[in-house]
Amino acid sequence: MNDFFEYSFPGDEEIPAEPLPLYLRDADSSGHCYGTLSYNRRSKCWTIKAEPCVTELAKRLFPGCDGRGRGVARFTANRRVIGDLNWLMLRYPLEVREADRERWHSALEEAREYAIRREQARKMPEYANPPAESFAGQLLDFQQQGLAFLLSARRCLLADDMGLGKTVQALAFLATTAAYPAIIVAPPHLLRNWQSEIARFLNEKGNLRVHVIRGLKPYPLPEADIYLIHYLLLRGWKEVLPECGFRTVIFDEIQELRRNGTGKYSAASLLSQACENCIGLSGTPIYNNGGEIWNVVNILDFHFLGDWESFSREWCYGYNSAIVAKPELLGEHLRREGLMLRRLKGDVLKELAPKRRLVQEIDWDDSVYRELMLPVAEQLSLLRRTGDPAQRAIIEDAICQRQRQATGIAKAPFVAAFVRALVEGGEKVLLMAHHHAVMDIYKAELKGLHPQFITGRETEQQKEKAADSFMQGKTDLLCISLRSASGLNLQRASCVVFGELDWSPAVHSQAEDRAHRIGQQDSLLCYYLVSPRGSDRDMQDALGLKVSQFVSLMGDAQPSSEDALMQQSFARERIRRLVERLDAENTASTEKNA
């Protein structure tokens, strides 16, 4: 007997005739039936009520099969499990309850389609590119492989290392499939970045409508192609989102859902089940702790790893144990079954530039910024009454410094959240800032990561101790003042994060070079975290930084004395423009409130 027979899906031109495994052929129920098969809508499982020889065998063979008492066995309604159940019915025919026959045929068709797609994935091209008419940008080779994986899997975990472009690959998937409306769920501090990336890679080629969902209380959603929501709001929208007709859901930093039993987790589970495509993104996949990876995988593909009892018994150190006995084997299983793709930076190092710079827009606290900027009105008034150029320059510098500090403080908690995700993902981070007040916020927000500091307030001995702690691996986070980094060799770092900006490109380049030195074996990723308002906008323009682009800054070469003078003059002109804009905004606000 042949191992396969031909099977094709009517109306699906993308899936040609393919050999279908015999275990998915139709079971013959014309002879003796050993029992019945019915669907339980409440528990979303298929229930066998049959002779003990059938149910006893089912419980022994299939870890995800349960059922208390003789003659009862239950299978989760999962496309993989349906294949197991159909295989059992080939040997022990069951009569499908009349009310459930249509559902069974539909479930079996889905299981067949999945089996065919898995077989096709092995034959499909390893690379895919999004259509040029709907996607702006060029994927690297490994990102093209990532897109091909997403297109074949559809419900899966993209677990690439931090900085390898998971966001871009997910957007390329949307551009290729046009599976809209889509909803993207992300941590609060990353929502603004998603908006920027969508504008950069999708809206330059199209006219996609984007809506950011606000507040816990549901309201009528406007028509849009892409919706954005953060995890903290999910519980409030639990009953609403599954009914919105989303075709695709993308869970960014899906490890946020590693603990079940919460309103957030329950809402995410319902949302996932309502979507045809479900993609999880995480640079920190967790499969040492069995409970956590089981929860994450359940969101992507319910009971892919069986129920908790069978998973903990078979994969972990015993019933209800949360520690996986062989995590490498589990990781291989997830990859082999097409549920997870993970590439480390070392795997694709040849495709990466030695130093990469990424400008990323980050959220901020507008109320904090406004409060800190209140004294500026009086300084602007004084500036209008002053004609002396030297005095005006002093006042302009004071206004600029206040706005830079207000900008740094307003976004500091969000910078800290971003850095925390990097460190927890295994990165070794240098965090650069300018103001002591901003550094103090980092110290409070990141206390649990045991950071070290070099801010200009330390003695030489303390500075040396902080650098040694980082280089010896006692901490993975070193916070450094932008202008206190000279002379340090910190090549252990894999990321440099600029929480604040400087007017001088050379200052940034020299700060980067604390890590990018002889002995650096990695591709160094430099994040420039910028806010949508405040001084960052003017400083971005001065430095030539564009959001969502890898950029090459001025200042990679050591500036000459003439260059330094030109930069000082350039910065002075930028400060003057910044103050003029502030003055205009302040005047407009005063007239509006009058």
Side-chain angles (χ1 to χ4, degrees), residues 396 403 503 538 541-542 570-584:
E396 286 172 349
Q403 190 186 35
W503 288 108
D538 297 273
D541 290 342
F570 187 59
R572 167 55 52 198
E573 179 58 30
R574 288 287 181 176
I575 290 171
R576 188 173 295 114
R577 291 183 193 176
L578 181 153
V579 172
E580 287 174 357
R581 181 173 57 79
L582 273 177
D583 194 19

Side-chain angles (χ1 to χ4, degrees), residues 47 60 159 228 252 316 387 465 505:
T47 301
R60 275 197 297 118
L228 296 168
D252 191 17
C316 303
K465 182 179 179 182

Side-chain angles (χ1 to χ4, degrees), residues 269-547:
S269 180
L270 292 174
L271 176 58
S272 170
Q273 291 174 32
C275 297
E276 58 189 87
N277 305 306
C278 179
I279 295 172
L281 306 177
S282 174
T284 55
I286 310 150
Y287 49 88
N288 281 309
N289 188 322
E292 293 183 351
I293 192 61
W294 184 82
N295 289 332
V296 168
V297 169
N298 255 12
I299 293 290
L300 298 170
D301 204 339
F302 186 67
H303 273 201
F304 172 90
L305 293 172
D307 61 10
W308 170 245
E309 179 181 342
S310 59
F311 173 79
S312 62
R313 183 180 66 243
E314 301 299 330
W315 284 102
C316 303
Y317 282 104
Y319 174 66
N320 255 350
S321 167
I323 306 300
V324 175
K326 296 181 179 179
E328 298 82 7
L329 185 62
L330 177 56
E332 178 58 32
H333 173 65
L334 295 176
R335 287 187 289 270
R336 185 177 57 248
E337 291 298 313
L339 191 102
M340 182 176 80
L341 177 66
R342 176 162 172 77
R343 279 81 58 86
L344 305 178
K345 275 187 289 187
D347 300 330
V348 297
L349 207 51
K350 292 180 180 179
E351 295 185 48
L352 302 178
K355 187 198 294 186
R356 296 169 290 149
R357 296 177 174 122
L358 181 60
V359 186
Q360 186 157 319
E361 202 167 89
I362 200 163
D363 215 340
W364 79 338
D365 191 324
D366 200 53
S367 61
V368 168
Y369 175 77
R370 288 198 305 269
E371 183 178 349
L372 291 171
M373 289 296 288
L374 287 176
V376 166
E378 185 178 337
Q379 291 175 306
L380 289 170
S381 177
L382 179 61
L383 185 66
R384 295 187 206 104
R385 301 193 302 269
T386 302
D388 179 56
Q391 188 63 27
R392 288 183 65 84
I394 293 172
I395 297 172
E396 286 172 349
D397 283 345
I399 292 172
C400 178
Q401 283 298 330
R402 176 167 287 277
Q403 190 186 35
R404 285 182 65 190
Q405 180 166 317
T407 301
I409 290 174
K411 67 178 180 176
F414 301 94
V415 171
F418 185 90
V419 169
R420 185 181 300 109
L422 288 177
V423 176
E424 289 176 352
E427 302 290 348
K428 287 75 178 174
V429 180
L430 303 182
L431 174 56
M432 302 288 182
H434 178 68
H435 294 93
H436 291 319
V438 173
M439 284 289 195
D440 290 341
I441 295 173
Y442 295 162
K443 183 175 289 186
E445 294 280 339
L446 299 168
K447 182 180 179 181
L449 299 179
H450 310 293
Q452 291 291 315
F453 288 82
I454 299 175
T455 66
R457 293 183 285 191
E458 298 81 13
T459 65
E460 281 300 316
Q461 186 177 7
Q462 289 171 327
K463 177 180 174 180
E464 185 177 334
K465 182 179 179 182
D468 288 345
S469 293
F470 180 78
M471 289 301 293
Q472 293 169 12
K474 296 177 182 177
T475 180
D476 289 329
L477 176 58
L478 180 58
C479 304
I480 309 175
S481 174
L482 273 166
R483 293 179 179 257
S484 295
S486 60
L488 295 172
N489 295 314
L490 302 167
Q491 61 268 30
R492 180 172 174 265
S494 58
C495 284
V496 179
V497 177
F498 291 92
E500 291 189 275
L501 303 180
D502 192 282
W503 288 108
S504 170
V507 168
H508 293 287
S509 184
Q510 289 164 7
E512 292 172 348
D513 285 343
R514 297 312 100 206
H516 192 248
R517 304 178 72 83
I518 295 173
Q520 170 62 265
Q521 302 296 319
D522 206 346
S523 172
L524 185 69
L525 185 55
C526 304
Y527 284 103
Y528 287 76
L529 304 183
V530 299
S531 61
R533 290 182 55 202
S535 61
D536 279 356
R537 186 167 60 178
D538 297 273
M539 300 180 85
Q540 273 180 258
D541 290 342
L543 296 168
L545 297 173
K546 294 182 180 179
V547 171

Side-chain angles (χ1 to χ4, degrees), residues 54-112:
V54 178
T55 54
E56 187 270 340
L57 180 66
K59 293 172 189 176
R60 275 197 297 118
L61 286 180
F62 305 111
C65 176
D66 67 357
R68 296 180 183 276
R70 290 190 304 273
V72 178
R74 296 184 181 88
F75 286 76
T76 302
N78 174 286
R79 57 192 176 181
R80 296 177 182 83
V81 174
I82 293 298
D84 294 338
L85 178 53
N86 193 72
W87 176 83
L88 182 67
M89 290 170 64
L90 291 173
R91 171 63 180 85
Y92 297 100
L94 301 171
E95 182 181 357
V96 182
R97 194 176 66 174
E98 185 175 356
D100 297 320
R101 285 174 188 168
E102 186 176 344
R103 181 184 291 273
W104 170 252
H105 289 307
S106 176
L108 188 55
E109 289 298 299
E110 186 179 347
R112 286 168 171 166

Side-chain angles (χ1 to χ4, degrees), residues 12-280:
D12 193 340
E13 297 178 359
E14 293 184 3
I15 305 179
E18 285 281 350
L20 184 78
L22 281 177
Y23 72 88
L24 283 170
R25 67 181 179 177
D26 289 322
D28 182 7
S29 58
S30 59
H32 175 67
C33 284
Y34 288 80
T36 61
L37 178 69
S38 61
Y39 183 73
N40 187 312
R41 287 163 177 78
R42 184 173 182 181
S43 58
K44 296 180 181 179
C45 69
W46 289 94
T47 301
I48 295 175
K49 292 185 178 178
E51 298 173 20
C53 63
V54 178
T55 54
E56 187 270 340
L57 180 66
K59 293 172 189 176
R60 275 197 297 118
L61 286 180
F62 305 111
C65 176
D66 67 357
R68 296 180 183 276
R70 290 190 304 273
V72 178
R74 296 184 181 88
F75 286 76
T76 302
N78 174 286
R79 57 192 176 181
R80 296 177 182 83
V81 174
I82 293 298
D84 294 338
L85 178 53
N86 193 72
W87 176 83
L88 182 67
M89 290 170 64
L90 291 173
R91 171 63 180 85
Y92 297 100
L94 301 171
E95 182 181 357
V96 182
R97 194 176 66 174
E98 185 175 356
D100 297 320
R101 285 174 188 168
E102 186 176 344
R103 181 184 291 273
W104 170 252
H105 289 307
S106 176
L108 188 55
E109 289 298 299
E110 186 179 347
R112 286 168 171 166
E113 182 176 351
Y114 172 75
I116 293 297
R117 287 193 186 279
R118 288 302 310 136
E119 188 62 29
Q120 277 189 325
R122 297 183 177 92
K123 304 174 184 177
M124 283 175 62
E126 293 184 6
Y127 301 88
N129 261 314
E133 62 271 17
S134 58
F135 184 80
Q138 182 63 48
L139 300 181
L140 297 173
D141 285 353
F142 75 88
Q143 293 171 334
Q144 294 173 26
Q145 288 180 310
L147 174 59
F149 165 75
L150 296 178
L151 292 172
S152 66
R154 301 294 177 124
R155 302 188 74 87
C156 56
L157 173 63
L158 182 59
D160 285 347
D161 238 350
M162 199 79 70
L164 296 188
K166 294 185 291 296
T167 300
V168 173
Q169 292 172 74
L171 293 179
F173 172 84
L174 288 179
T176 305
T177 60
Y180 303 115
I183 183 167
I184 298 168
V185 187
H189 67 280
L190 293 180
L191 284 185
R192 191 173 295 278
N193 181 62
W194 274 99
Q195 290 177 269
S196 300
E197 299 291 82
I198 291 167
R200 163 66 177 160
F201 290 102
L202 299 185
N203 270 345
E204 280 197 8
K205 291 288 187 176
N207 192 27
L208 294 177
R209 300 161 297 175
V210 180
H211 176 73
V212 180
I213 298 174
R214 309 284 187 186
L216 278 167
K217 186 176 181 181
Y219 56 85
L221 292 175
E223 285 193 15
D225 301 290
I226 299 177
Y227 297 82
L228 296 168
I229 187 171
H230 65 69
Y231 283 102
L232 301 179
L233 300 184
L234 278 182
R235 59 185 177 87
W237 290 79
K238 176 179 176 179
E239 306 298 331
V240 176
L241 294 181
E243 305 299 323
C244 289
F246 298 119
R247 293 183 61 194
T248 302
V249 58
I250 297 171
F251 292 104
D252 191 17
E253 303 295 345
I254 195 174
Q255 71 273 10
E256 292 273 340
L257 300 174
R258 63 188 180 273
R259 296 183 181 90
N260 63 12
T262 65
K264 174 175 69 174
Y265 187 90
S266 176
S269 180
L270 292 174
L271 176 58
S272 170
Q273 291 174 32
C275 297
E276 58 189 87
N277 305 306
C278 179
I279 295 172

